[in-house]
Amino acid sequence: MPLSEEIWVTEVSMSFPEATLRLLTGVPKGDRALELGEVRADNPEQVTDAIREHPDVSKYDQLYVDEHRAIGQYEADEKSLYEFLWESSLPPEFPIIIENGKMEFDLTASQEQFEAFGSLLNETDRDYELLTLAHTDKQDSLLTDRQREYVTVAYRRGYFEVPRECTLAELADALGVDKSSASETIRRGAMRIIGQFIISSE
């Protein structure tokens, strides 16, 4: 998710686009936020100097530094990240990763919470990209046992690779069925998987 250009960490991260800034933990403290942050870069002290000198950051204490990594504790004026998460009724999940003005984070939520979070993003016109989605609800199986078996065998034998490493005839022979049965079952299973992915992305 792109961060607002008004946030100090956006300015610092865009000044060092090759660096990775990781917010390890943070809590609101009055009008400010107390945070523990990590910098990963070829010269991390250049980045931490920029953080220390930024007008929106105060009380920066360097806790650890080596050739490629630095950890510091500091107070910052910016609290919009926490306010945004509070609006969504989801607790912050650390670490939050920031690179070149963009923030990446994980969420653990119910289906209802996840959909509400997506609606909040859309209502506030925030740009974002869903990178991965993992389902843990096993009450309803997405695929039938037959579809799961056929799709799994097809995947393992390279049927979905480009170019294919396994023909439909070879796949049908491995499954012990005719080509039309193999083709129809795999297509139905693939359609369910793709459909679920599209619905989840929306």
Side-chain angles (χ1 to χ4, degrees):
M1 178 185 297
L3 290 168
S4 168
E5 294 182 2
E6 298 176 356
I7 302 176
W8 70 267
V9 73
T10 307
E11 182 180 338
V12 173
S13 66
M14 293 183 73
S15 297
F16 300 91
E18 301 303 319
T20 298
L21 281 65
R22 302 173 80 238
L23 177 58
L24 303 179
T25 189
V27 292
K29 184 181 178 183
D31 295 332
R32 306 169 71 79
L34 178 62
E35 300 181 339
L36 183 70
E38 179 188 48
V39 172
R40 295 183 180 182
D42 290 337
N43 191 336
E45 289 192 271
Q46 282 188 347
V47 185
T48 57
D49 285 345
I51 296 173
R52 181 185 289 107
E53 295 167 5
H54 197 282
D56 289 344
V57 175
S58 64
K59 297 183 180 180
Y60 185 94
D61 294 320
Q62 191 97 290
L63 305 181
Y64 173 84
V65 64
D66 62 24
E67 292 181 350
H68 302 289
R69 183 168 168 257
I71 297 176
Q73 180 178 299
Y74 51 88
E75 290 187 18
D77 284 339
E78 180 53 50
K79 292 198 310 178
S80 63
L81 167 64
Y82 304 99
E83 292 167 355
F84 167 65
L85 291 170
W86 287 334
E87 288 176 3
S88 67
S89 299
L90 292 173
E93 196 162 322
F94 300 104
I96 295 172
I97 300 170
I98 297 154
E99 293 180 337
N100 197 23
K102 294 182 179 180
M103 172 176 65
E104 181 179 329
F105 57 93
D106 293 332
L107 288 176
T108 302
S110 66
Q111 181 74 25
E112 183 180 352
Q113 289 174 321
F114 182 78
E115 291 173 356
F117 183 74
S119 297
L120 176 63
L121 291 176
N122 294 331
E123 288 171 4
T124 55
D125 292 326
R126 289 178 180 263
D127 291 331
Y128 68 93
E129 179 182 1
L130 179 64
L131 299 179
T132 58
L133 179 65
H135 259 296
T136 58
D137 185 1
K138 297 182 179 179
Q139 292 180 356
D140 298 315
S141 179
L142 178 63
L143 304 179
T144 66
D145 291 342
R146 181 185 177 94
Q147 289 169 344
R148 184 180 299 278
E149 177 192 0
Y150 283 31
V151 171
T152 299
V153 172
Y155 177 81
R156 290 176 176 170
R157 289 180 173 266
Y159 182 73
F160 298 114
E161 296 292 333
V162 180
R164 282 180 173 164
E165 298 175 0
C166 171
T167 66
L168 179 60
E170 292 170 335
L171 184 59
D173 186 60
L175 291 167
V177 297
D178 58 58
K179 290 196 299 182
S180 62
S181 294
S183 176
E184 181 178 353
T185 304
I186 290 169
R187 283 204 325 270
R188 289 181 181 276
M191 283 295 293
R192 286 194 177 191
I193 294 170
I194 294 169
Q196 180 63 36
F197 172 79
I198 291 172
I199 291 171
S200 299
S201 298
E202 292 175 347

